[in-house]
Amino acid sequence: MIYLFIFFIYFFNEIFLKKKIFIDKIEFSKHKSFINTKKVPTTGGLYVLIFLSLFYVDINFMNLLFLMLIYLTGLSSDRLKNFSPKIRLLLQILITFLFIINSNTFILDTRIDSLNYLFNNYKYTSIFFTIFCFIILINGTNFIDGTNLNTIGYYIIIYSAVYYLSKKFNLALNFDFNLKIILFLCTLYVLNYLNKIQLGDSGSYLLSFFSAFYLIHFVNNNSYVSPYFIILILWYPCFENLFSILRKIYQKKKISAPDNFHLHHCLYKFLKNKNFRNLNNLSGFIINLTNLIFISFGTLFLNSTKNLVLLLLVYVLIYIFSYNYLIRKNLRKKLF
């Protein structure tokens, strides 16, 4: 059935292209048109929603409703010009709160005894922390979805790493679903490469929201896996979000205001100055390849919290160094 669904995506996406349905509203802001100049359907989120409805059998009607609500929140951001960031954030928090309560999705183990005690004895602390992690991942994923391949490729790497390690260490996992979501995301990856589809805010919100739920249950069901492995494989969008917030606070800019100073923007401008071609795809592919290397190293230390924390620190330092290097190079060429 998955192959029939893939055919369905290709077939209907051509219709969306020809009829110009769900075309990205790049004219809404300079941020949207900074890299993407072609009007491409933002139907990725719709396909993610249909895929989860059809193939993820371990989800009840209420949870599916919450997935639809987070999708509609992102869709409103895609289609409405002045959809307030504050309202979006409040909706994300409310939907996440209702979802984690209904699905019993809580972060319980941090490998820090004092925090574990709080989470297990004072449930509201676990609820608060779980919501915080969801929100950071959702908005971080939306931040990195500025070039082709970047977000979709990143989640292909994540689900592939989980599948590989679960096979290797005989971990509890729905292997059939995990393989299907990899095939599904690879389909979106090809279409994204061909400039025939984008995730949009709706796709970024939904994919990251579901992945947070999926990975929390994965680590809760497999005590052998260090929770810091999940932090490591999700480090890029989460750190992109936190780094952007701190950067804007330091620069005395409005936190919710979009800008063109994310890592992928800096890389795009750097490559453009070097006269590379197909910059949209190339920027995303380079970041994909870098994260593939990072996460591959992480798979060597699935249960070693100390090594995972050390790797996280190394990756953060590499990010900061790379970001500062690209900023300096671009400013010298007056590319911003």
Side-chain angles (χ1 to χ4, degrees):
M1 188 174 177
I2 183 64
Y3 297 107
L4 182 62
F5 181 67
I6 289 171
F7 172 78
F8 162 87
I9 292 173
Y10 278 108
F11 177 78
F12 279 95
N13 204 70
E14 289 299 318
I15 295 176
F16 290 142
L17 276 168
K18 290 179 181 178
K19 301 293 184 179
K20 297 183 178 180
I21 302 172
F22 285 108
I23 296 297
D24 191 19
K25 303 286 187 178
I26 61 174
E27 68 274 9
F28 278 2
S29 69
K30 292 181 180 179
H31 172 72
K32 282 181 173 285
S33 59
F34 182 75
I35 291 176
N36 295 313
T37 56
K38 296 181 179 180
K39 293 190 174 183
V40 180
T42 54
T43 46
L46 177 62
Y47 298 142
V48 174
L49 183 62
I50 296 172
F51 171 83
L52 294 175
S53 303
L54 291 175
F55 296 103
Y56 192 69
V57 296
D58 299 326
I59 197 164
N60 59 37
F61 174 78
M62 282 303 299
N63 288 337
L64 186 60
L65 178 62
F66 293 130
L67 291 178
M68 187 176 295
L69 288 174
I70 202 72
Y71 164 76
L72 291 174
T73 303
L75 184 64
S76 299
S77 179
D78 285 329
R79 311 310 298 175
L80 302 178
K81 186 174 183 179
N82 297 310
F83 188 36
S84 168
K86 291 181 181 178
I87 293 176
R88 269 183 282 162
L89 181 61
L90 288 173
L91 286 172
Q92 289 171 8
I93 293 172
L94 177 61
I95 295 167
T96 301
F97 170 73
L98 295 173
F99 177 79
I100 66 173
I101 296 296
N102 187 70
S103 62
N104 198 32
T105 304
F106 305 110
I107 296 173
L108 301 174
D109 181 20
T110 64
R111 301 290 167 98
I112 301 173
D113 290 340
S114 56
L115 280 179
N116 288 351
Y117 177 82
L118 283 174
F119 289 171
N120 286 284
N121 291 278
Y122 302 94
K123 195 170 184 179
Y124 67 88
T125 59
S126 178
I127 292 172
F128 176 82
F129 184 67
T130 303
I131 291 173
F132 172 78
C133 292
F134 264 80
I135 299 304
I136 290 294
L137 181 61
I138 290 169
N139 290 288
T141 299
N142 194 38
F143 282 174
I144 69 172
D145 191 40
T147 58
N148 283 353
L149 312 182
N150 199 16
T151 301
I152 300 172
Y154 191 74
Y155 279 91
I156 290 173
I157 296 168
I158 289 173
Y159 282 100
S160 297
V162 169
Y163 185 87
Y164 164 74
L165 290 170
S166 298
K167 282 284 188 181
K168 183 177 180 180
F169 294 101
N170 196 28
L171 303 175
L173 183 75
N174 185 335
F175 289 99
D176 181 62
F177 171 79
N178 207 104
L179 184 58
K180 285 177 180 176
I181 199 170
I182 293 170
L183 292 172
F184 165 67
L185 290 175
C186 286
T187 302
L188 297 189
Y189 193 83
V190 172
L191 289 172
N192 190 221
Y193 174 83
L194 297 173
N195 267 322
K196 293 189 174 185
I197 194 175
Q198 288 181 3
L199 283 177
D201 290 2
S202 57
S204 297
Y205 284 14
L206 181 56
L207 181 59
S208 55
F209 185 86
F210 173 78
S211 297
F213 157 77
Y214 188 77
L215 292 171
I216 288 172
H217 281 279
F218 171 72
V219 77
N220 285 346
N221 292 332
N222 294 283
S223 59
Y224 178 75
V225 180
S226 170
Y228 291 87
F229 175 73
I230 303 302
I231 296 174
L232 183 132
I233 64 175
L234 295 174
W235 83 277
Y236 171 45
C238 293
F239 186 73
E240 180 74 48
N241 190 356
L242 295 171
F243 183 77
S244 297
I245 291 171
L246 293 174
R247 171 171 57 80
K248 289 176 183 177
I249 291 174
Y250 176 77
Q251 295 171 341
K252 297 181 180 179
K253 293 182 178 179
K254 192 176 180 181
I255 292 176
S256 60
D259 64 23
N260 300 322
F261 288 90
H262 297 294
L263 179 65
H264 55 272
H265 292 129
C266 298
L267 178 60
Y268 175 89
K269 297 299 289 185
F270 176 79
L271 294 173
K272 185 176 182 179
N273 182 57
K274 297 296 183 180
N275 297 316
F276 282 92
R277 296 183 179 181
N278 200 11
L279 298 175
N280 197 350
N281 288 329
L282 182 60
S283 302
F285 180 76
I286 289 173
I287 297 176
N288 282 168
L289 185 60
T290 304
N291 280 310
L292 175 61
I293 295 170
F294 286 175
I295 291 175
S296 295
F297 274 113
T299 62
L300 302 175
F301 307 103
L302 181 64
N303 192 38
S304 178
T305 294
K306 290 182 180 179
N307 286 324
L308 289 168
V309 171
L310 180 61
L311 279 176
L312 274 169
L313 292 174
V314 171
Y315 296 168
V316 166
L317 290 174
I318 291 173
Y319 177 101
I320 294 172
F321 173 81
S322 302
Y323 183 88
N324 287 330
Y325 173 82
L326 292 170
I327 282 288
R328 288 197 303 270
K329 288 291 184 180
N330 292 337
L331 287 176
R332 285 177 187 173
K333 298 294 182 179
K334 298 182 179 180
L335 298 178
F336 286 106

